[in-house]
Amino acid sequence: MDWTGLPYFLAVARGGSLRAAAEDMGATHATVDRHLRSLEAAYGVRLFDRTPRGLVLTQAGETLLPQAEEAEASVIAARRRLQGLDREASGRIRLTMPPAFAFDIIAPILGAFAAQYPAIELDIDLSNRIQNLARAEVDVSIRVGFSVDDDVTGRKVLQYAARPYASQSYLDAHWEGRGAQGEGLHWIGWGDNGAWRKETAFPKAALRHSANGAYMQINLVRAGLGMGTLPVIFAQHMPDLVAVPGTEAFLDRSIWILLHSDLKRTTRVRLLVDYLSQALRAQRAAFLGPLA
């Protein structure tokens, strides 16, 4: 009962509700509730108080939590050590990446990889959420950032350049009437307050629209809704992106490939990480654009 119920207990403790736990576990609301009640019955204590704000750990639940986390860590460590002994170029790899680079940049690389290693199955999750490698949510994670602080094996693949882009139709409609500091122009933001505009060539351009996904922002720019600061490599794949006059490319974030250290000896994982790294670095000139 412990081994069956503890993952559900941890999911509820972390999510604060049956619904959040069900999403995390890929189960139904009823399944999570059944496992939780069975665990409580087996221990003879209530592990959660059911409140209007969600499920809150009782004193018994607080006592169990670190022990359950320790048990989870032991199981994950054993699984990873066994996976690390795998020397076959076959099996499943759970791979996560941000949607921005997934479609036009990484998908063709994965297609070529799958053709070369047909016995390796890719389970791909597109998400900007930072999945937990230590908890074995994924095997390999492609991330974009200035740095990575996780306690994992990380490989900095390359740094890319970015600059402001717009559509030609947008520039035709708004460029001539602009003010000296961008009055009359419009930025497409990231769902924030737009404080970053002060550091741009057009600090007084209005923040007219926003999108919290980079790929959506790219397509809003292409649709003529305003200017957006984008990785320069997209102009190579989408020729309707026009560099905004009076702006320059600059070095932005880096692309990282991360995996848990126990998996670096696993053949299929090492093959994928090496293949991705080499294929992305082969496009370094496109990632840097005019800065290459």
Side-chain angles (χ1 to χ4, degrees):
M1 179 55 65
D2 291 25
W3 290 111
T4 303
L6 283 178
Y8 294 91
F9 164 77
L10 286 170
V12 174
R14 289 164 178 156
S17 70
L18 294 176
R19 177 177 297 177
E23 292 178 358
D24 184 52
M25 296 291 293
T28 65
H29 179 287
T31 298
V32 175
D33 188 49
R34 183 175 69 254
H35 280 283
L36 188 59
R37 292 184 184 277
S38 295
L39 194 61
E40 288 178 324
Y43 288 145
V45 295
R46 273 188 307 105
L47 297 173
F48 293 93
D49 285 326
R50 290 159 172 78
T51 74
R53 293 178 289 109
L55 296 180
V56 179
L57 285 167
T58 62
Q59 184 175 354
E62 293 281 3
T63 300
L64 177 61
L65 181 59
Q67 305 299 323
E69 289 175 333
E70 184 177 339
E72 177 190 51
S74 296
V75 171
I76 291 172
R79 180 190 308 151
R80 288 209 181 279
R81 288 188 180 279
L82 290 174
Q83 288 176 329
L85 298 174
D86 190 349
R87 296 292 184 264
E88 298 296 326
S90 62
R92 185 170 68 107
I93 302 175
R94 294 168 300 167
L95 171 66
T96 184
M97 68 190 75
F101 290 108
F103 301 100
D104 299 289
I105 313 300
I106 299 177
I109 297 174
L110 295 179
F113 175 81
Q116 187 168 338
Y117 301 102
I120 297 178
E121 176 186 349
L122 300 175
D123 183 352
I124 302 167
D125 175 41
L126 299 185
S127 174
N128 289 311
R129 184 175 71 90
I130 298 178
Q131 284 89 346
N132 193 315
L133 287 159
R135 285 178 50 202
E137 292 181 348
V138 294
D139 300 317
V140 179
S141 177
I142 301 174
R143 293 190 195 167
V144 173
F146 292 108
S147 63
V148 173
D149 300 324
D150 303 50
D151 184 20
V152 294
T153 297
R155 185 180 298 188
K156 183 178 178 179
V157 180
L158 56 79
Q159 189 174 17
Y160 63 85
R163 72 177 301 170
Y165 287 93
S167 69
Q168 189 60 55
S169 63
Y170 177 82
L171 293 175
D172 291 343
H174 299 280
W175 186 249
E176 292 300 326
R178 75 191 186 284
Q181 293 188 296
E183 297 90 340
L185 297 178
H186 312 90
W187 285 109
I188 298 174
W190 295 84
D192 53 22
N193 59 12
W196 46 267
R197 288 177 294 171
K198 298 176 184 178
E199 308 299 325
T200 72
F202 309 108
K204 293 190 177 179
L207 187 63
R208 186 175 183 182
H209 305 284
S210 66
N212 62 1
Y215 204 73
M216 183 63 180
Q217 188 183 49
I218 291 166
N219 283 283
L220 292 179
V221 171
R222 298 175 70 195
L225 275 69
M227 304 178 297
T229 300
L230 309 172
V232 298
I233 192 171
F234 286 113
Q236 192 172 95
H237 293 271
M238 305 168 187
D240 52 343
L241 288 173
V242 179
V244 176
T247 66
E248 296 181 353
F250 60 91
L251 287 176
D252 199 9
R253 295 166 176 80
S254 295
I255 297 176
W256 300 75
I257 299 179
L258 309 179
L259 68 154
H260 195 281
S261 57
D262 285 345
L263 289 182
K264 65 184 179 182
R265 297 183 300 275
T266 303
T267 297
R268 64 178 178 275
V269 171
R270 179 171 48 78
L271 288 171
L272 176 63
V273 170
D274 289 346
Y275 196 97
L276 280 169
S277 298
Q278 292 168 11
L280 288 170
R281 285 172 178 156
Q283 300 182 55
R284 182 175 181 274
F287 275 103
L288 290 176
L291 300 183

